[in-house]
Amino acid sequence: MKLIYVGKKSITNRLKSLFDSNNVEVIHYSNPLKAMDNFDEILPEIIYMIENDFPRIWKILLTELKKNRNLTSCSFILEGELEKKQYDEFNFLKGDIITLNLDETIIKIKELCSNKKKDYKQIYFPNDKEISIGFMNPLDFSFISGNVEEITDTFLFFKPENIENILSFQNLEISNASLGIKETVFNIDFKIEIINNRIKCIITNNKELYLIELQGLFV
């Protein structure tokens, strides 16, 4: 599934988690006119636009979308608080969905994804220092710590404070590592894989508690 996002800011980690979980390919444009120029090349199934970033141009973009015979099944989502006149214009131009904020947008995109695709995975991209990890180096008994960059129901990637201390850990099994999520700290075991200088930890036990704690994170 392809989604065109038209907004001045980069997508948040919550949206990135949602899109990656649903295998949605996101093409971001900060220039609506360039987005329109690439409709036929990209053939998006969803267009998501921030009204406040482009208070007039969204009408032009929506008009062009509805005129395009190749995009009859594409859904247009406009996020923002509209006045009655704007709301009437949105309906007249046959817009699909209006949302007031990011939370509503996420709900609507999830609904569209569930209708348009079958495969699904759970993945979350934490904000900086949102999820921490620490464990004892079994080779020299020093302490390794860092922050999680990506987490799923079966593995996580984390960035250690000193990556040089861990690049030789290929296939090393770690026991009783501490994983801190919000105010909860619990132990997990995992096996380390080094992938292009990224540290991947494959969870090997304590999976039940791990999954319970993760459910509150997944979008």
Side-chain angles (χ1 to χ4, degrees), residues 81-96:
E81 295 188 29
L82 303 186
E83 297 177 355
K84 184 180 185 306
K85 179 181 178 182
Q86 294 173 310
Y87 184 83
D88 291 341
E89 290 171 335
F90 182 87
N91 289 329
F92 177 78
L93 295 172
K94 299 181 180 179
D96 299 286

Side-chain angles (χ1 to χ4, degrees), residues 176-191:
N176 293 317
S178 296
L179 187 67
I181 300 178
K182 297 181 179 179
E183 298 179 357
T184 302
V185 178
F186 57 97
N187 293 331
I188 58 170
D189 297 349
F190 54 79
K191 180 180 179 181

Side-chain angles (χ1 to χ4, degrees), residues 100-207:
L100 295 177
N101 51 49
L102 179 61
D103 288 338
E104 287 190 10
T105 298
I106 287 175
I107 291 171
K108 293 301 182 180
I109 291 178
K110 286 181 72 174
E111 291 175 356
L112 291 173
C113 289
S114 65
N115 292 333
K116 295 186 178 183
K117 61 122 193 87
K118 299 301 181 183
D119 52 330
Y120 175 78
K121 58 184 178 181
Q122 291 181 308
I123 186 169
Y124 181 69
F125 295 91
N127 294 318
D128 186 39
K129 298 182 180 180
E130 182 180 355
I131 301 178
S132 61
I133 190 170
F135 57 90
M136 193 71 69
N137 182 340
L139 304 180
D140 62 11
F141 302 105
S142 61
F143 189 72
I144 304 287
S145 62
N147 295 306
V148 174
E149 298 178 309
E150 176 182 337
I151 192 165
T152 78
D153 55 352
T154 56
F155 66 84
L156 60 86
F157 282 96
F158 87 97
K159 184 178 182 180
E161 293 180 355
N162 188 341
I163 194 169
E164 300 300 326
N165 292 341
I166 199 172
L167 287 178
S168 61
F169 282 17
Q170 185 70 270
N171 296 321
L172 194 66
E173 296 186 359
I174 302 297
S175 299
N176 293 317
S178 296
L179 187 67
I181 300 178
K182 297 181 179 179
E183 298 179 357
T184 302
V185 178
F186 57 97
N187 293 331
I188 58 170
D189 297 349
F190 54 79
K191 180 180 179 181
I192 290 178
E193 287 187 4
I194 312 296
I195 304 174
N196 296 326
N197 286 344
R198 294 190 72 202
I199 314 302
K200 181 178 182 180
C201 304
I202 302 172
I203 310 303
T204 55
N205 78 345
N206 293 342
K207 290 184 179 180

Side-chain angles (χ1 to χ4, degrees), residues 3 5 15 18-19 46 48-50 77-80 97-112:
L3 178 148
Y5 162 58
L15 281 173
L18 171 66
F19 294 147
I46 301 173
Y48 162 43
M49 192 169 185
I50 306 297
I77 300 176
L78 185 65
E79 182 182 304
I97 298 169
I98 298 175
T99 60
L100 295 177
N101 51 49
L102 179 61
D103 288 338
E104 287 190 10
T105 298
I106 287 175
I107 291 171
K108 293 301 182 180
I109 291 178
K110 286 181 72 174
E111 291 175 356
L112 291 173

